[in-house]
Amino acid sequence: MRYIIIGAGAVGGVVGGRLAGSGHEVVLVARGAHFEALRDHGLRLRVPEGELTHRLPVVDGPAALGELRPDDVLVLAVKTQDSTAALQAWGPVPVTGGGTAAERLPLVCAQNGVESQRLALRLFRRVYGVCVWLPSTYVEPGVVSAAGSPLTGILHLGRHPHGTDETARLIAADLEKSHFEAPVVADVARWQYAKLLANLGNALEAVTGPVDSEEATALFQRVRAEGAAVLDAAGIAYADAAEQRAVRGDKVTLVPLDGAPRGGGSSWQSLTRGTGTIEADYLNGEIALLGRLHGVPTPLNDLLQRLANTFARERRAPGSMPVGELVRLADEETRAAH
């Protein structure tokens, strides 16, 4: 199979680089300065064993590839806010032998949240979800890093909305040869919703900085508890903390990397890069949506969603709001909601 990585940033670049490193055929899709750096200098992947350079085909869209192959796997790794444009661009692309990508090819959503695979299923017949446990960073154009050891990451994989098949097992086998653990599960959504609860802290980190103080940790626990109450009210199952710890163990331990400081998670990185957008609508906003559908107030996630979007729109520096100020706002919102 050939892997077409749509969005070769932190997650996509690391997955693509690791697959290429184990001998798999990979095409990277990127834009702007990142596309130019990948085209001119290759993908530079900083991992515990050193910096690896992979000279791979790179395109800025489907037109550069022409027809797709029947053995292509599309890996969607853009931020969720960019999913619709990517799906609309790649879905109609013809496949050799007849039909389109949306009709014939597997689409693997390797993203935070749960919305992209629902968007994908409107267009694509074969959609797969991934619970992405992969600490990775977009360092600069052409350079990504992943500090996990001995494994680079753990990627639970399954059909969306549920089930498994031979394609999932083949993709998982390729990933397992490429420094990942890739359990094939019929209930991948359970793992994705568990990850969603953890990702509710992304906006908190982006707005106030690392969640390592007692005050920030206590606030995150309130935000997560609000999210869990919403999932419970909606009847949505999710893997609990003990199950996650049992699966992950010490398989992905972060080690310091020269020249690749890990400044924060995906939302933090969006603010650092000044992209003008952020994924909060599909993380905290997912909880807000479910809360409104099921009659559960979500003042803390509403607040974080609003602040994260303001920071992105106004291109504010990540971590620039004192955590005490955020706690004060959170207390006000909570009182008003109740």
Side-chain angles (χ1 to χ4, degrees), residues 78-89:
V78 298
K79 293 289 199 305
T80 302
Q81 62 267 30
D82 298 321
S83 289
T84 296
L87 292 165
Q88 290 175 344

Side-chain angles (χ1 to χ4, degrees), residues 214-259:
E214 186 175 328
E215 198 171 20
T217 301
L219 179 56
F220 170 65
Q221 292 304 326
R222 291 168 60 190
V223 172
R224 187 191 181 284
E226 187 179 270
V230 166
L231 296 186
D232 292 343
I236 294 172
Y238 51 92
D240 63 27
E243 187 177 4
Q244 294 178 74
R245 283 194 300 270
V247 167
R248 290 171 183 154
D250 56 0
K251 299 171 185 173
V252 184
T253 300
L254 300 186
V255 299
L257 297 179
D258 291 338

Side-chain angles (χ1 to χ4, degrees), residues 61-96:
L65 282 178
E67 283 192 346
L68 295 173
R69 297 178 355 196
D71 64 342
D72 281 337
V73 175
L74 305 182
V75 179
L76 187 65
V78 298
K79 293 289 199 305
T80 302
Q81 62 267 30
D82 298 321
S83 289
T84 296
L87 292 165
Q88 290 175 344
W90 288 88
V93 179
V95 177
T96 301

Side-chain angles (χ1 to χ4, degrees), residues 279-322:
E279 61 193 338
D281 288 347
Y282 304 99
L283 301 176
N284 308 91
E286 181 70 25
I287 296 302
L289 169 63
L290 290 170
R292 291 165 194 151
L293 289 173
H294 296 279
V296 180
T298 58
L300 299 178
N301 282 280
D302 292 351
L303 173 65
L304 286 176
Q305 179 186 3
R306 185 168 68 250
L307 287 173
N309 278 311
T310 299
F311 269 56
R313 185 174 59 253
E314 297 179 358
R315 290 176 167 76
R316 296 190 196 176
S320 55
M321 175 178 282

Side-chain angles (χ1 to χ4, degrees), residues 156-169:
H156 285 75
L157 172 70
R159 284 292 295 261
H160 179 74
H162 50 73
T164 63
D165 61 15
E166 183 61 20
T167 298
R169 288 185 283 274

Side-chain angles (χ1 to χ4, degrees), residues 2-338:
R2 180 175 69 166
Y3 291 89
I4 298 177
I5 310 294
I6 304 170
V11 169
V14 171
V15 171
R18 282 307 204 185
L19 284 167
S22 60
H24 299 288
E25 194 175 356
V26 173
V27 177
L28 303 178
V29 183
R31 297 179 297 180
H34 191 45
F35 163 76
E36 293 170 0
L38 293 170
R39 178 196 61 199
D40 296 342
H41 307 293
L43 172 68
R44 294 162 59 195
L45 174 61
R46 294 177 182 167
V47 287
E49 61 263 40
E51 181 172 294
L52 311 174
T53 299
H54 298 286
R55 290 282 185 170
L56 303 172
V58 57
V59 298
D60 60 1
L65 282 178
E67 283 192 346
L68 295 173
R69 297 178 355 196
D71 64 342
D72 281 337
V73 175
L74 305 182
V75 179
L76 187 65
V78 298
K79 293 289 199 305
T80 302
Q81 62 267 30
D82 298 321
S83 289
T84 296
L87 292 165
Q88 290 175 344
W90 288 88
V93 179
V95 177
T96 301
T100 64
E103 293 167 334
R104 295 188 57 192
L105 299 184
L107 179 86
V108 179
C109 296
Q111 300 160 287
N112 285 335
V114 295
E115 180 65 16
S116 275
Q117 54 213 19
R118 295 194 295 231
L119 294 170
L121 208 59
R122 296 175 186 273
L123 301 175
F124 281 77
R125 295 179 181 176
R126 300 167 62 198
V127 176
Y128 299 78
V130 179
C131 177
V132 180
W133 185 257
L134 170 54
S136 56
T137 300
Y138 173 97
V139 179
E140 62 185 63
V143 184
V144 296
S145 69
S149 179
L151 292 177
T152 298
I154 300 176
L155 306 173
H156 285 75
L157 172 70
R159 284 292 295 261
H160 179 74
H162 50 73
T164 63
D165 61 15
E166 183 61 20
T167 298
R169 288 185 283 274
L170 290 171
I171 294 169
D174 287 350
L175 291 169
E176 299 245 340
K177 297 170 187 171
S178 309
H179 296 267
F180 295 102
E181 187 169 286
V184 177
V185 293
D187 56 350
V188 68
R190 284 184 66 250
W191 294 92
Q192 291 176 308
Y193 277 105
K195 177 80 183 312
L196 173 66
L197 291 178
N199 285 148
L200 298 180
N202 287 20
L204 173 57
E205 177 191 55
V207 169
T208 68
V211 184
D212 52 13
S213 69
E214 186 175 328
E215 198 171 20
T217 301
L219 179 56
F220 170 65
Q221 292 304 326
R222 291 168 60 190
V223 172
R224 187 191 181 284
E226 187 179 270
V230 166
L231 296 186
D232 292 343
I236 294 172
Y238 51 92
D240 63 27
E243 187 177 4
Q244 294 178 74
R245 283 194 300 270
V247 167
R248 290 171 183 154
D250 56 0
K251 299 171 185 173
V252 184
T253 300
L254 300 186
V255 299
L257 297 179
D258 291 338
R262 180 163 170 77
S266 52
S267 296
W268 171 284
Q269 293 179 49
S270 291
L271 293 184
T272 300
R273 294 171 64 187
T275 61
T277 66
I278 202 164
E279 61 193 338
D281 288 347
Y282 304 99
L283 301 176
N284 308 91
E286 181 70 25
I287 296 302
L289 169 63
L290 290 170
R292 291 165 194 151
L293 289 173
H294 296 279
V296 180
T298 58
L300 299 178
N301 282 280
D302 292 351
L303 173 65
L304 286 176
Q305 179 186 3
R306 185 168 68 250
L307 287 173
N309 278 311
T310 299
F311 269 56
R313 185 174 59 253
E314 297 179 358
R315 290 176 167 76
R316 296 190 196 176
S320 55
M321 175 178 282
V323 67
E325 172 68 8
L326 180 56
V327 170
R328 184 187 66 78
L329 292 172
D331 290 342
E332 288 179 0
E333 294 284 335
T334 301
R335 284 193 295 271
H338 294 89

